[in-house]
Amino acid sequence: MRLPLYYNALNLLKTSLEKQETSNTLYQLGKLYLNMEEVDEAEVYFKKVLDKNSESLELELETNQALGFLYSKKEDFSQAIQYYQRALKIDPDLLNTRSNLGEAYLKSTQLTKAEIEYKKVLKITDYHVESHIGLGEVYLAMGDEGESDLYSQAIKHFDKAIKISNEREGSKVLNKKELSGIQYLKGYTKIKIYENSVGIKDEKLLSDALIFFEECVTNNPENHKGSRAIEKLKKQKEIARSQNFPSRFAMYIILIPSGLIFLLTNIVFWLSFLPSFYINHQNNKVSVPKASPQATQTPIPTASPKSKDSTQTQTKVAENKTSESNKINTTEYFLLSFSSLTFALISLYLPQLLKLKISGTGIELEKGSVDQAKIPTSLDIKR
């Protein structure tokens, strides 16, 4: 029903143009062709408006905005940037136009310039949904180029855009298709954080990504990228589950004994420095039975000075032997502590190790080719 209305309006405008060619009629024709997605025809009429040098700044502004949008649609972003900049020279406070300029910079991979434009908008108002989405995409692209620490910033801006949209307080309310696209980007970002993490990878990142991809498909069942991502993630989680059990089991077999050795070594070493009078106190305790009234009259033999000295000497020798047997020298302490900590550290990184060689012992462990092949370097989920 809309096409007949468009053609009726088109005939009326052309009839009016035949009578008198005005800038306003040319602009209306260009806008009508743009709505009909006949961009080449629209481009002709918009440029005629600018060629007439209309005295209306408002019309010139709107024409530059329209041409910026038109060239973005044609993916000629250098031209789009040029016309958006012209519009902003007339009125620098146009937030949507500045956000569109940021998008043109983003699409032409001028990421730093895109970041600047989006931040200018958000400095004026934090409730511009399109700029939060755009800035999230900028940080996502920067992350893909190597600045992986910016992935978390991308998630932050995507979440902010969704929150503002849901609260209906911002520049626009996202429809389900738009929400689906953002949820996909959030899932993709979580995957990239997972792939770029060093050491033991956090499996929760995959679970979060799976939730985002499922929300993406719920909002738009025709988002086939989301469906494919779900299939790949589920397959990856099955592989990880089968691999993780033996790896985790082996990890604890090494970690627990290493921890116990480290703990006992420190206990014995530091206890050996306690004052010796604790040991003397325990050894000098003598149990003396209560004497009966008759026994009190019986004389108690006294030890000669020579026998007393001999007893004390024997006691000291026994104490020294006990003390020496409980001591760990400094070399043994550092060797045991360092070794136990080394093995504990190895156990934590055991799932990621492909080869382990302990010098001086002749021990060399290496994962089989089958186990190595199962470790994926990338989930191959595209943006």
Side-chain angles (χ1 to χ4, degrees), residues 351-368:
Q352 279 71 46
L353 290 176
L354 297 180
K355 189 173 182 180
L356 174 64
K357 184 177 181 180
I358 304 173
S359 60
T361 63
I363 298 174
E364 185 173 340
L365 303 173
E366 184 173 2
K367 286 187 178 180

Side-chain angles (χ1 to χ4, degrees), residues 160-371:
K160 183 73 173 179
I162 293 172
K163 181 176 181 292
I164 296 169
S165 172
N166 290 340
E167 292 173 352
R168 299 178 180 272
E169 294 180 350
S171 57
K172 71 175 294 185
V173 176
L174 299 169
N175 58 41
K176 286 193 172 183
K177 189 174 181 179
E178 290 168 330
L179 277 170
S180 174
I182 297 172
Q183 294 291 4
Y184 182 86
L185 289 177
K186 286 176 65 179
Y188 172 82
T189 307
K190 288 287 184 179
I191 294 297
K192 297 306 291 184
I193 295 172
Y194 175 84
E195 289 177 348
N196 282 277
S197 59
V198 179
I200 297 176
K201 296 185 182 293
D202 186 0
E203 299 298 324
K204 187 177 181 300
L205 291 168
L206 294 184
S207 300
D208 291 343
L210 183 59
I211 291 170
F212 294 142
F213 287 135
E214 287 172 343
E215 289 176 357
C216 154
V217 174
T218 300
N219 285 319
N220 181 17
E222 294 182 0
N223 192 325
H224 302 300
K225 285 198 305 182
S227 300
R228 290 194 297 271
I230 290 170
E231 290 176 10
K232 289 178 181 179
L233 264 181
K234 286 183 176 179
K235 185 177 179 180
Q236 166 62 21
K237 286 175 76 69
E238 287 175 8
I239 294 172
R241 196 178 296 113
S242 64
Q243 280 187 299
N244 280 349
F245 178 75
S247 297
R248 298 286 180 186
F249 185 69
M251 179 183 79
Y252 288 119
I253 285 178
I254 299 173
L255 181 62
I256 292 172
S258 299
L260 288 173
I261 291 170
F262 179 77
L263 181 64
L264 290 173
T265 300
N266 277 273
I267 290 173
V268 173
F269 179 75
W270 292 109
L271 281 179
S272 66
F273 285 96
L274 290 175
S276 60
F277 69 84
Y278 285 105
I279 300 172
N280 293 335
H281 179 70
Q282 294 296 327
N283 290 335
N284 288 336
K285 282 184 178 179
V286 179
S287 176
V288 181
K290 287 184 179 181
S292 63
Q294 294 83 3
T296 55
Q297 298 176 0
T298 306
I300 299 173
T302 57
S304 66
K306 185 176 181 180
S307 63
K308 187 174 181 181
D309 290 341
S310 176
T311 303
Q312 288 177 349
T313 302
Q314 290 175 359
T315 302
K316 287 181 179 179
V317 170
E319 288 172 3
N320 289 335
K321 285 182 178 180
T322 303
S323 177
E324 289 298 326
S325 65
N326 289 333
K327 282 185 179 179
I328 296 178
N329 64 42
T330 306
T331 304
E332 291 171 338
Y333 168 72
F334 282 111
L335 181 62
L336 285 169
S337 295
F338 179 76
S339 300
S340 58
L341 286 175
T342 300
F343 277 98
L345 187 62
I346 289 170
S347 69
L348 292 174
Y349 285 87
L350 191 62
Q352 279 71 46
L353 290 176
L354 297 180
K355 189 173 182 180
L356 174 64
K357 184 177 181 180
I358 304 173
S359 60
T361 63
I363 298 174
E364 185 173 340
L365 303 173
E366 184 173 2
K367 286 187 178 180
S369 58
V370 175
D371 291 328

